[in-house]
Amino acid sequence: MQLARPLIRPPGLDLPRRPRRRGVFSMTALADVLFQLLIFFMLSANLLSYSMLPLRNGAIRDAGQPGGAAAAPQAGTTVTEARATAVWTLNPDGITASGQQFALPRAAALADALAAQGTRNVLIVLRPEVPVQDVVTVLEMLSARGIDSVQIAEAPGGRT
């Protein structure tokens, strides 16, 4: 029986060494991840800041109140007459105006009719399920027709 001897390199014998392999880094996976992040942030970003929407305080005064005029408005508050104000209820499926239901694309015809009869004030009553995009769409549509006095109110029983 022979004992296994460890292999010892004799001095001066240079054996070829394997070249050192460096890790290969693929840029394809990194580019895919960056592209997906870019798409995510583009879809989740607001294109228009909500601070760009012009807002101001307002109140509606009923001219037929007993005892004369309504209480004095706060400073900086615009007061409009109730008779000169159209009331729209914005629902998830459209707009209710004068007891009639209209689809959101038909709101342009309603705004044209308001502008033609000289109504410059609109009170929009919002239901809680209405998306913000629908509100912005209605505000832009009214503004394009010269109806800039728009007041927004929350529907009764809106929050639980």
Side-chain angles (χ1 to χ4, degrees):
M1 187 190 273
Q2 287 185 339
L3 291 174
R5 288 188 191 192
L7 293 174
I8 299 176
R9 264 192 220 177
L13 182 63
D14 287 330
L15 296 175
R17 293 185 181 194
R18 281 194 245 166
R20 223 173 152 186
R21 284 187 56 176
R22 297 186 71 170
V24 178
F25 185 72
S26 173
M27 293 294 287
T28 306
L30 180 64
D32 289 344
V33 169
L34 290 176
F35 186 66
Q36 289 175 358
L37 284 173
L38 177 68
I39 290 174
F40 171 76
F41 286 120
M42 284 174 53
L43 293 176
S44 63
N46 288 331
L47 298 178
L48 176 67
S49 174
Y50 292 118
S51 63
M52 300 292 288
L53 294 175
L55 298 177
R56 61 183 181 274
N57 292 336
I60 296 178
R61 175 179 58 207
D62 187 5
Q65 284 183 351
Q74 297 176 351
T77 301
T78 305
V79 179
T80 59
E81 294 293 331
R83 290 184 189 155
T85 303
V87 179
W88 289 3
T89 303
L90 191 55
N91 302 309
D93 55 345
I95 294 176
T96 304
S98 300
Q100 296 180 352
Q101 183 73 23
F102 299 94
L104 194 58
R106 300 255 316 145
L110 287 172
D112 288 335
L114 287 178
Q117 70 184 18
T119 303
R120 296 288 179 236
N121 307 313
V122 177
L123 171 65
I124 299 176
V125 180
L126 295 179
R127 298 282 178 208
E129 311 86 35
V130 175
V132 174
Q133 182 59 50
D134 289 353
V135 177
V136 172
T137 301
V138 170
L139 289 175
E140 288 177 344
M141 182 229 0
L142 289 170
S143 179
R145 282 149 181 87
I147 303 172
D148 292 328
S149 178
V150 179
Q151 298 176 4
I152 298 177
E154 186 179 9
R159 299 206 177 174
T160 56

